[in-house]
Amino acid sequence: MMHNVNLGPSNLSIAPLIFGGNVFGWTVDEQSSFALLDAFVAAGFNSIDTADVYSSWVPGNTGGESETIIGKWLKQRGKRDDLVIATKLGAHNAGLSAAYMKTAVEASLKRLQTDYIDLYIAHYDDPATPVAETMDAFNALIKEGKVRYIGASNLSAARIKAANQYARENGLEPYISIQPQYNLYDRKPFETEYLPLVEQEHLGVTSYYALASGFLSGKYRTAADLDKSARGNGIKQYLNDRGMRILNALDEVSEMIYAPISQIAIAWQLHKPYITAPIASATSLVQLNDLMAAAQLKLSSEHLALLDDASDTEQ
C-alpha cells in the first residue's frame, strides 16, 4: 500500500509520484494520454502536473494542449474531486501581474474543464512585478474559490522567501510548495539554494526532471543514443564522467536488487525526507508501470550511500 502525504502545510494529500503532463500533445496523443492517465489513477496515484505553456514548443501548437487533453479526460471520467491537479502560469515572459493572472486562470480553468485548480504555480519569475502584487493576485483567486493553494517553480529562493514574508505580514496565504529541478545528476542548485528555505518554511517539494530528461533511464550512454527520442538534444549535457559514474552506480544497485535503474533513480529521491513527490512523465504503459513501481521500491542505507557518493557534486 502506498502512503500518501500532505503537500507542505496544505491538506492536499498526494501519492508519492506525480504524472508530468508535459508529454500530452507532444510525444503522446490524446487517446494514449487517456490510457496513461487511466492506468495511473487505477494504480492509486492521484496527482497530475501540467502548465498553460505545454506543449507550445511543438510545431503547430500554441500552448494549452496538455491542459485541454487533461480537461477532456477529467470530464469523461468524472473523478475530479478525487484528484489533485496542478498547473502553472507565467512562462515565456508572460509575467505575474495581477491583470495577466486573472486572464490566465480563466483560460486554464476552461481548458481543464474544472471550477478550481488545486495547486496554481508561478512557473517563472517576473522581476518587473512586485511580489506584493503577485501574492495579492494569487490570494484573490483563492478567495474566489478558483485556486486552493499556490506554489512556485523557477523562482529564486530569495524571491520565494520575500513573497511568503509579505503574505505572513498581510494575513495572506503563502506559497506552500516549490517545484525545482532535482535528480541524481542535478543536485547542487536545489541542495545549496532551496533546501534551507524548504526546511525553514516547511514547503512541499515536487521535483521535476526526476529522470534528467530520460538520461537516468540508462538508455542514453553514448552520443549515438541521442537519436532515440525527441528529448535527445537535452540529454547530451549528461554524457560526461560524472554522468557515467552515476549510471555505473545505478547499474550496481540494479544488480543488487534486480530493479530497473529508472526505478532506483526515483526511489533515491523518495528516500530523501525533503522530497514530497517527484514528477515523472511516461509515453507508454510499459514506461508508466516502471515509474509507478518506483514508489514501492525500498533502498538500503548501503544503496543510498553508493548513489549519494557517485552523484556527489563536489567530485
Side-chain angles (χ1 to χ4, degrees):
M1 293 291 293
M2 283 183 297
H3 178 61
N4 285 21
V5 295
N6 283 4
L7 182 63
S10 78
N11 67 355
L12 295 176
S13 178
I14 62 174
L17 185 68
I18 299 171
F19 197 107
N22 60 314
V23 294
F24 299 151
W26 177 25
T27 50
V28 184
D29 61 21
E30 183 176 301
Q31 183 178 357
S32 298
S33 299
F34 280 27
L36 289 168
L37 289 170
D38 286 340
F40 189 69
V41 172
F45 296 89
N46 69 333
S47 186
I48 304 163
D49 175 85
T50 185
D52 59 5
V53 73
Y54 298 163
S55 47
S56 62
W57 53 85
V58 179
N61 285 2
T62 58
E65 288 79 14
S66 174
E67 288 182 330
T68 298
I69 288 172
I70 293 169
K72 290 181 180 178
W73 176 78
L74 287 172
K75 191 73 169 179
Q76 288 188 19
R77 299 303 185 262
K79 296 181 178 181
R80 173 65 185 94
D81 291 342
D82 298 329
L83 301 168
V84 174
I85 305 298
T87 192
K88 300 182 280 293
L89 81 162
H92 292 177
N93 301 314
L96 294 172
S97 68
Y100 175 74
M101 291 170 68
K102 192 170 184 178
T103 301
V105 74
E106 295 298 340
S108 286
L109 288 169
K110 183 176 181 180
R111 286 190 292 263
L112 288 166
Q113 298 194 51
T114 183
D115 296 327
Y116 65 96
I117 294 165
D118 295 291
L119 180 64
Y120 204 27
I121 302 168
H123 204 164
Y124 292 91
D125 200 2
D126 175 11
T129 300
V131 294
E133 179 178 343
T134 297
M135 296 307 280
D136 285 343
F138 267 133
N139 274 263
L141 300 180
I142 292 173
K143 289 177 182 177
E144 292 171 13
K146 294 173 182 177
V147 172
R148 295 181 65 193
Y149 296 97
I150 56 174
S153 187
N154 299 291
L155 279 64
S156 70
R159 190 78 158 169
I160 296 169
K161 184 176 182 178
N164 277 8
Q165 182 175 342
Y166 172 82
R168 280 191 296 269
E169 291 172 350
N170 291 274
L172 302 176
E173 295 297 323
Y175 291 129
I176 57 97
S177 66
I178 66 169
Q179 189 177 112
Q181 180 176 349
Y182 189 64
N183 54 61
L184 267 167
Y185 189 100
D186 300 298
R187 291 179 55 182
K188 191 170 185 177
F190 171 77
E191 292 178 359
T192 57
E193 180 183 359
Y194 295 95
L195 185 52
L197 179 68
V198 166
E199 295 172 339
Q200 180 182 8
E201 298 273 343
H202 306 291
L203 299 173
V205 181
T206 59
S207 50
Y208 68 87
Y209 284 176
L211 290 177
S213 298
F215 172 71
L216 296 174
S217 69
K219 68 178 182 179
Y220 305 95
R221 295 176 185 258
T222 68
D225 294 330
L226 299 180
D227 294 331
K228 290 182 178 180
S229 81
R231 289 184 168 193
N233 286 336
I235 295 168
K236 187 176 182 180
Q237 61 181 311
Y238 300 115
L239 297 179
N240 53 41
D241 289 344
R242 181 165 174 267
M244 293 304 105
R245 188 167 65 245
I246 291 170
L247 288 185
N248 289 337
L250 285 166
D251 288 337
E252 191 172 340
V253 176
S254 177
E255 291 175 1
M256 293 178 183
I257 63 176
Y258 306 105
I261 72 170
S262 56
Q263 290 184 21
I264 296 166
I266 290 176
W268 172 83
Q269 287 205 43
L270 287 171
H271 282 70
K272 300 296 182 183
Y274 43 80
I275 298 294
T276 309
I279 300 168
S281 303
T283 58
S284 70
L285 290 174
V286 172
Q287 285 183 4
L288 180 61
N289 288 331
D290 192 33
L291 293 175
M292 294 190 300
Q296 313 247 15
L297 191 63
K298 301 299 181 185
L299 300 178
S300 70
S301 56
E302 177 189 0
H303 303 145
L304 293 171
L306 185 65
L307 296 169
D308 284 341
D309 183 61
S311 60
D312 188 342
T313 58
E314 299 305 318
Q315 292 192 46

